[in-house]
């Protein structure tokens, strides 16, 4: 039975508020849940979900690679929270770790003494990562991990008079103030004062080592260059772009010879997604700082990590006065660390990193078969391991005759309409969930869990084959026909 809320509930403070119980919250029907979402969270985001056909996604259970809906449908999840659920949903080892913590009444939060689970997790990361990466700071997200990396780099380098960060054009490092300053993949800066002023940021093309040499040379004077650190995604996340072979090694070498700290942002691809624990491990290179998140939380917990060398950490925070200059209330909660510890063990003991490499190769082979079959539409297969994307050629002139997006604040290009149409058709026709990025509107992304099987990959490929065989025009027609008003107005009723 759907939960009914009192329509006359006052909005002013009440001594006895009419709040929902957990059981009532889990029992909300989709219509009532969406009403609350629109009123109390983000009605415009709800509109985006509606356009993609996902506003009525009533998930009753999530296990492994499958979302079980209330109507009996089983949705194959090839997005997994844009990579966060690398182990899949509700992995049994993660559930068991949480249950063990509950049974033992494990301490979650203590700020006045060390926590053994934080120490154990930091040790595990030091064992996995190459020397000298042996000292961790725990956060609750990738953006926070990148903020910690930036702050550590500033502490080490600003006493030398350095003031600038070097980053890649089209990068994404997060939406908190500092990380936002280094994010250029899509327009998320509007209306914000950046944590790092624009004049203190150098932007260079991704994968172009000569552009990096030139930027460093231009900033170098009699006293050296003024660059604090250079940050890079070992695979550029928004565009699923793998750099040229040897580029990361050259990148780190240039940093080292010019007294610039190197930061590798492995938030999206780290913890096994590419078939190695970190994507940079496909080369013989070690950065000064690496950041992790997403898969580290086992699909159940919010945790990020900045890992650096003991020497650099000591330079930044190596005395009693400075050791708490950067901290967080929820840094390394006990049960969250327990889940991360079990996640790392599952990656190795269950061969999940190896499976990511094997299934990633199979996914690439099947996608390349589609590219051969539809060369005019499917232009390119990108990525590594289980982070893959296809670049598509849309006949934009066709959809431009169907709908005018010039007044839309949401779907500002025809590419967005067309990629949205393709994603929705995969969901509605073939029970497969995928995603795309605002900064790369001609690409469809695939980030399944590391437990994905060949038959599940085949389901994705069969769905893509069917849609591409029918033609992009049909997907666009169906999509536009059901969403003309939404696309143009970008409004939702509250």
């Amino acid at each position: 039975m759907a939960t009914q809320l009192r329509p006359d509930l006052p909005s002013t403070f009440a001594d006895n508020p009419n709040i929902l119980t957990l059981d009532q919250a889990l029992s909300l029907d989709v219509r009532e849940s969406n009403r609350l979402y629109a009123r109390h969270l983000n009605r415009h985001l709800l509109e985006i979900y509606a356009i993609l056909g996902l506003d009525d996604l009533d998930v009753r259970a999530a296990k492994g690679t499958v979302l079980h809906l209330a109507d009996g449908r089983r949705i194959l999840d090839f997005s997994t929270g844009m990579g966060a659920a690398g182990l899949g949903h509700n992995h049994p080892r993660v559930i068991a770790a949480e249950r063990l913590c509950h049974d033992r009444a494990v301490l979650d939060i203590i700020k006045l003494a060390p926590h053994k689970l934080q120490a154990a997790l930091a040790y595990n990361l030091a064992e996995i990562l190459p020397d000298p990466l042996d000292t961790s700071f725990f956060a609750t997200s990738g953006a926070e991990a990148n903020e910690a990396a930036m702050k550590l780099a500033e502490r080490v380098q600003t006493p030398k008079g350095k003031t600038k960060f070097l980053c890649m054009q089209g990068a994404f490092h997060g939406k908190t103030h500092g990380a936002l300053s280094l994010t250029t993949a899509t327009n998320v800066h509007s209306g914000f004062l950046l944590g790092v002023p624009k004049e203190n940021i150098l932007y260079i093309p991704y994968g172009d080592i000569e552009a990096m040499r030139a930027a460093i040379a231009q900033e170098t004077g009699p006293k050296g260059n003024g660059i604090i650190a250079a940050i890079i995604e070992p695979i550029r996340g928004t565009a699923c772009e793998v750099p040229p072979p040897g580029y990361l090694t050259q990148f780190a070498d240039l940093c080292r010879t010019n007294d610039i700290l190197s930061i590798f942002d492995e938030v999206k691809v780290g913890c096994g997604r590419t078939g190695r624990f970190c994507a940079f491990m496909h080369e013989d290179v070690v950065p000064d700082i690496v950041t992790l998140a997403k898969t580290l939380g086992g699909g159940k917990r919010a945790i990020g990590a900045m890992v650096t060398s003991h020497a650099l950490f000591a330079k930044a925070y190596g005395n009693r006065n400075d050791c708490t200059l950067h901290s967080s209330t929820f840094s390394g909660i006990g049960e969250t660390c327990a889940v991360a510890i079990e996640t790392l063990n599952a990656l190795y003991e269950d061969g999940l990193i190896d499976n990511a490499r094997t299934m990633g190769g199979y996914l690439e082979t099947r996608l390349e078969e589609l590219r051969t079959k539809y060369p005019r539409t499917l232009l390119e297969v990108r990525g590594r391991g289980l982070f893959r994307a296809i670049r598509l050629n849309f006949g934009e002139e066709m959809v431009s005759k169907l709908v005018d997006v010039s007044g839309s604040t949401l779907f500002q290009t025809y590419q967005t309409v067309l990629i949205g149409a393709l994603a929705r058709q995969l969901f509605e026709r073939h029970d497969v969930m995928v995603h795309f990025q605002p900064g790369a509107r001609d690409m469809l992304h695939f980030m399944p869990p590391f437990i994905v099987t060949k038959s599940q990959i085949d389901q994705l490929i069969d769905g893509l084959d069917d849609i591409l065989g029918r033609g992009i025009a049909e997907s666009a027609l169906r999509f536009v026909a059901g969403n003309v008003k939404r696309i143009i107005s970008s409004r939702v009723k509250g």
Side-chain angles (χ1 to χ4, degrees), residues 274-329:
T274 67
R276 299 293 301 271
F277 184 76
C278 281
F280 74 77
M281 292 178 175
H282 291 278
E283 295 187 24
D284 185 18
V285 59
V286 182
D288 292 308
I289 307 167
V290 63
T291 56
L292 303 164
K294 291 192 183 292
T295 293
L296 186 60
K300 294 286 285 183
R301 295 282 161 162
I303 183 169
M306 178 210 69
V307 189
T308 188
S309 66
H310 176 77
L312 279 177
F313 195 89
K315 285 183 180 180
Y317 304 118
N319 60 66
R320 294 177 185 176
N321 290 329
D322 296 343
C323 66
T324 59
L325 281 178
H326 188 68
S327 61
S328 169
T329 299

Side-chain angles (χ1 to χ4, degrees), residues 208 232 260 340 370 402:
D208 187 341
I232 190 171
I260 299 169
L370 287 181
L402 302 175

Side-chain angles (χ1 to χ4, degrees), residues 220-234:
T220 301
K223 296 182 179 181
N225 70 77
I227 302 173
I228 293 170
I231 185 169
I232 190 171
E233 300 163 277

Side-chain angles (χ1 to χ4, degrees), residues 131-196:
D131 291 335
L133 298 172
D134 62 2
T135 304
S136 291
F137 171 84
F138 297 125
T140 58
S141 69
E144 286 184 43
N146 285 331
E147 292 277 353
M150 293 172 67
K151 289 182 70 177
L152 181 138
E154 288 182 33
R155 286 283 298 175
V156 172
Q157 299 281 60
T158 52
K160 304 174 186 178
K162 293 175 177 283
T163 59
K164 297 185 178 182
F165 284 91
L166 186 148
C167 64
M168 304 298 115
Q169 295 167 357
F172 187 93
H173 298 293
K175 295 181 181 178
T176 52
H177 253 166
L180 179 65
S181 307
L182 310 182
T183 293
T184 58
T186 184
N187 182 21
V188 288
H189 304 96
S190 179
F192 297 109
L193 298 173
L194 301 182
V196 179

Side-chain angles (χ1 to χ4, degrees), residues 6 8-19:
R6 266 195 4 235
D8 60 339
L9 181 66
S11 59
T12 54
F13 176 80
D15 291 331
N16 187 26
N18 183 33
I19 61 176

Side-chain angles (χ1 to χ4, degrees), residues 128-130 266 269-285 292 347-348 352-358 384-386 450:
I128 292 169
L129 292 166
E266 292 267 356
V269 295
C271 298
R273 181 158 292 280
T274 67
R276 299 293 301 271
F277 184 76
C278 281
F280 74 77
M281 292 178 175
H282 291 278
E283 295 187 24
D284 185 18
V285 59
L292 303 164
L347 289 175
Y348 289 97
L352 297 183
I353 297 177
D354 293 337
N355 196 61
R357 181 169 56 253
T358 301
R384 176 174 277 158
L386 287 178
F450 307 165

